[in-house]
Amino acid sequence: MKLTASRLRGLIGQVIKENKMDLVEDVRTGDEETVMAAIRAKHPEIDVKSLGIMSGQNPDGIQASPEENEKRRLALEAEIDKLGLIAFRIGGVFFGNQENSILIINPHTVASETAAGFATIERDAKQVLDGLNDKFGQWGYVSATPDENAPGFALKYEMMAMDKYPNNVYDDKADAPDENWQEFEDEHAGEEYMQGQPESHESHNFARRDPESVIAKKVIDLPDKQKDFYSYIEDPEKKKGIGKKFAIPTYTEGKKTKKLRIKRRK
């Protein structure tokens, strides 16, 4: 077997993964200290250079059944296992809807070599996360990559939106009103022509930072009493599995984008 650079990275990743079993338990559930240190790239034993936060559930922000969501959660975790990456179960509550997510550590290490000598950690991490979000039909994800403008090593956190549909893609559907895409989404979520809409030929399977968002430079601790708009570390011993609560402020206060709302089928 030829030992390519990609294969070598995979072997190294597997060794690291095996050596970290005491840190990450079943490679899916981590304690508060471990996960918060990892998400801030400050863990003393895990060399975090990039992160991704995504879910396999509720594709395109449309509420799926509990059974479908559980199937999607397991499928995403199996995909991460296949890639040989360390990951932790986390979750979030937004607009009152709870969704299981996963914190992926160093996704850049399993990127393809298409960029050759021009590759960067940011490019490689987003390539992998774009592919996973495209595969699972997700609206978008949070990426964390090196912040070149920070003194020393630090991460910048971005809300990435998959570039699937142009502004008026819905308007060419029969009986679809002539509205801009966000007004259409808010008014008609869950209706038949909002489900499984075909990709436009102008679509791409890569993401751009959501123009309504900002680049975040920190992760904020939240109190247990926080009722909505938070992420959390999974804790099976807590009610609904909701442990330590935190936030990554990619949206300014009072401007939590409607895109993050999970739409319920009518």
Side-chain angles (χ1 to χ4, degrees):
M1 178 180 66
K2 184 179 179 181
L3 187 61
T4 64
S6 179
R7 174 65 179 163
L8 181 59
R9 281 201 302 267
L11 291 172
I12 293 172
Q14 186 61 36
V15 170
I16 292 172
K17 184 177 177 180
E18 290 170 358
N19 289 338
K20 300 302 179 187
M21 288 297 286
D22 61 321
L23 291 172
V24 297
E25 207 168 333
D26 62 357
V27 199
R28 290 289 179 234
T29 301
D31 61 75
E32 175 183 322
E33 183 180 357
T34 296
V35 179
M36 292 307 295
I39 203 170
R40 291 183 166 119
K42 298 196 181 292
H43 199 283
E45 297 181 67
I46 303 177
D47 187 18
V48 178
K49 296 299 184 186
S50 69
L51 297 168
I53 297 177
M54 66 169 288
S55 174
Q57 300 180 337
N58 301 317
D60 279 332
I62 298 175
Q63 182 74 52
S65 68
E67 296 77 15
E68 175 68 14
N69 274 338
E70 178 63 8
K71 179 180 176 182
R72 285 176 162 274
R73 180 184 70 80
L74 294 173
L76 176 58
E77 291 187 358
E79 193 73 23
I80 299 303
D81 278 338
K82 188 164 64 176
L83 290 171
L85 292 168
I86 297 172
F88 299 99
R89 284 183 182 136
I90 60 172
V93 175
F94 297 95
F95 295 98
N97 299 299
Q98 183 177 358
E99 185 174 71
N100 295 312
S101 305
I102 191 165
L103 171 66
I104 305 169
I105 310 296
N106 291 333
H108 71 278
T109 60
V110 294
S112 72
E113 299 179 355
T114 53
F118 298 97
T120 64
I121 291 175
E122 180 171 351
R123 176 264 180 196
D124 284 356
K126 289 177 178 177
Q127 180 201 67
V128 173
L129 296 168
D130 285 354
L132 287 170
N133 275 253
D134 185 55
K135 184 169 186 175
F136 283 85
Q138 293 299 298
W139 177 87
Y141 61 89
V142 173
S143 77
T145 54
D147 180 6
E148 296 85 357
N149 298 318
F153 181 82
L155 295 178
K156 61 180 180 181
Y157 303 84
E158 299 176 275
M159 187 71 223
M160 305 296 292
M162 298 299 289
D163 187 24
K164 294 184 180 182
Y165 312 108
N167 284 344
N168 289 307
V169 66
Y170 307 128
D171 292 355
D172 55 12
K173 294 290 289 183
D175 302 320
D178 184 18
E179 300 172 307
N180 73 54
W181 70 271
Q182 189 162 343
E183 288 173 352
F184 187 98
E185 180 182 72
D186 291 339
E187 179 68 24
H188 303 284
E191 296 182 16
E192 185 176 353
Y193 41 72
M194 278 293 291
Q195 301 169 24
Q197 59 268 41
E199 260 189 12
S200 161
H201 24 252
E202 297 178 41
S203 68
H204 307 280
N205 62 348
F206 60 84
R208 295 187 176 94
R209 183 164 62 86
D210 179 14
E212 295 185 30
S213 72
V214 296
I215 295 175
K217 300 295 183 78
K218 58 185 176 180
V219 178
I220 299 173
D221 294 310
L222 293 177
D224 290 340
K225 65 182 181 180
Q226 183 84 13
K227 299 297 184 184
D228 206 351
F229 301 108
Y230 63 85
S231 297
Y232 63 85
I233 297 170
E234 183 183 78
D235 186 342
E237 297 183 2
K238 297 288 183 65
K239 184 178 180 181
K240 295 185 178 181
I242 298 175
K244 164 71 179 175
K245 297 178 181 179
F246 64 92
I248 301 174
T250 54
Y251 293 98
T252 56
E253 188 62 32
K255 192 180 179 183
K256 293 184 172 69
T257 178
K258 297 176 182 178
K259 296 179 188 176
L260 290 179
R261 188 175 340 171
I262 296 173
K263 309 294 185 179
R264 297 191 178 275
R265 297 183 187 277
K266 295 182 179 180

